[in-house]
Amino acid sequence: MINAFTVDLEDWFCSHNLKSVAPYKTWDQQLSRVEKNTMKLLNLLHSHNTKATFFVLGWIASRFPKLVKAIHEEGHEIASHGYAHQQITLQTHEAFEEDIIESISILNSITGERPKGYRAPAFSITQQTLWALSVLKKYGISYDSSIYPFSFHPDYGNAGVPLGFHNNNGLIEIPMSCATFGKIRIPCSGGAYLRFYPFSIFRSLVKRVIAKQRPFIFYIHPWEIDSDPPKVPLPYSKAARHYYNCSSALKKTEMLVQEFQFTSLQNILASEQFDIF
């Protein structure tokens, strides 16, 4: 089974977890660490001859075009993460459309290619925001990877959707991975789960996904591998989710890449003969 390695390319202060202490209007005042941390991921992927999909935040692309260009020149897929990392559940139709147009425009200007894939900030494609898919399709997006198919996270999740690739209002939907135990779904896609779970448990969950003949969809943020991240005051639950075990995340990511085969979502979709590329 070939699995997907994906990166949500944003800086530490872009996380929705920090919007109370680092709102969008303050981003230009924050100390950026995205270049340094992203280069660590690029070097890891290069050393293991692994391609990935980078869901790039437009705000980051506009300020670090050379970084995005370097990622693209390494043969990685550049997809959209929107422009300003605003949750769709908090946007109007018009604001969302403006965000997508701006995101696609900046990525296209850097790479010469329009992105085919999209991932919503905070997995905010929900039953209430399915209207956003028609906007994505209007601007040439072919697949969406914005849904986590479980229901007990405080900020996101939709347990009613299929676990595998499926059609979602005319787009190919690529859900985040959950291991299943009967009807119970255990999330295991993201860097937070890699950081929180012992690696032996994380590995066993990945194997359980693959055993069901589903590609494992992994994602991580560059700030999650920062061993000395800037600290801001947060409620305990948010601080734990943002800072816990970041110092071990790069090593665990490398262990994951050593054990399982990964590539970009574009390559997986092409290998499955989906007619979108």
Side-chain angles (χ1 to χ4, degrees):
M1 181 67 68
I2 301 177
N3 309 288
F5 193 109
T6 72
V7 179
D8 288 1
L9 186 56
E10 60 193 60
D11 221 324
W12 65 273
F13 50 81
C14 301
S15 170
H16 76 284
N17 230 5
L18 273 67
K19 63 185 179 182
S20 63
V21 293
Y24 178 71
K25 64 182 179 181
T26 70
W27 284 7
D28 275 321
Q29 304 164 26
Q30 304 293 344
L31 174 66
S32 176
R33 298 176 67 85
V34 72
E35 288 181 292
K36 178 181 178 180
N37 292 322
T38 302
M39 290 309 300
K40 290 179 184 178
L41 285 173
L42 277 179
N43 290 337
L44 185 156
L45 293 168
H46 182 82
S47 66
H48 293 283
N49 194 29
T50 297
K51 301 305 178 189
T53 295
F54 283 73
F55 289 97
V56 180
L57 201 63
W59 187 92
I60 293 293
S62 68
R63 284 152 180 81
F64 302 97
K66 291 182 179 179
L67 177 63
V68 178
K69 192 172 182 64
I71 295 167
H72 185 252
E73 289 177 348
E74 276 283 307
H76 301 294
E77 178 188 7
I78 301 296
S80 172
H81 196 32
Y83 187 87
H85 211 260
Q86 304 301 302
Q87 292 167 255
I88 303 174
T89 47
L90 302 178
Q91 289 182 297
T92 64
H93 289 53
E94 293 77 14
F96 176 70
E97 187 161 3
E98 290 174 6
D99 186 90
I100 289 301
I101 291 170
E102 198 167 8
S103 165
I104 291 173
S105 176
I106 186 65
L107 296 179
N108 185 48
S109 71
I110 295 170
T111 67
E113 300 175 3
R114 293 176 66 85
K116 294 289 187 179
Y118 174 79
R119 177 171 291 156
F123 302 108
S124 52
I125 295 285
T126 66
Q127 288 299 118
Q128 290 70 43
T129 57
L130 288 177
W131 54 263
L133 298 176
S134 63
V135 177
L136 296 175
K137 191 173 181 180
K138 175 181 176 181
Y139 290 101
I141 298 295
S142 301
Y143 74 85
D144 175 66
S145 186
S146 301
I147 295 178
Y148 223 133
F150 78 114
S151 59
F152 54 84
H153 192 280
D155 296 326
Y156 57 74
N158 185 345
V161 302
L163 292 167
F165 293 20
H166 60 277
N167 182 289
N168 192 356
N169 289 266
L171 298 185
I172 294 175
E173 186 65 51
I174 303 174
M176 298 298 98
S177 293
C178 292
T180 53
F181 296 82
K183 294 184 178 180
I184 298 173
R185 298 178 175 187
I186 304 296
C188 56
S189 266
Y193 301 104
L194 180 71
R195 290 186 286 120
F196 272 83
Y197 298 150
F199 188 76
S200 59
I201 292 177
F202 192 85
R203 179 203 292 121
S204 68
L205 294 174
V206 174
K207 289 182 176 180
R208 201 169 185 94
V209 172
I210 294 171
K212 297 293 186 180
Q213 297 300 304
R214 296 192 302 269
F216 172 63
I217 312 300
F218 178 68
Y219 78 92
I220 195 164
H221 303 88
W223 54 261
E224 290 188 276
I225 63 166
D226 195 333
S227 58
D228 188 27
K231 297 288 176 53
V232 293
L234 292 169
Y236 176 78
S237 62
K238 291 184 181 296
R241 282 154 52 192
H242 197 78
Y243 295 119
Y244 183 75
N245 264 354
C246 285
S247 60
S248 69
L250 185 62
K251 180 179 179 181
K252 291 170 100 174
T253 301
E254 183 157 30
M255 292 165 64
L256 191 69
V257 171
Q258 288 172 333
E259 184 151 353
F260 301 97
Q261 186 175 0
F262 288 93
T263 190
S264 66
L265 288 170
Q266 173 178 323
N267 287 342
I268 288 180
L269 290 171
S271 70
E272 295 291 335
Q273 299 182 341
F274 290 93
D275 187 22
I276 66 170
F277 292 104

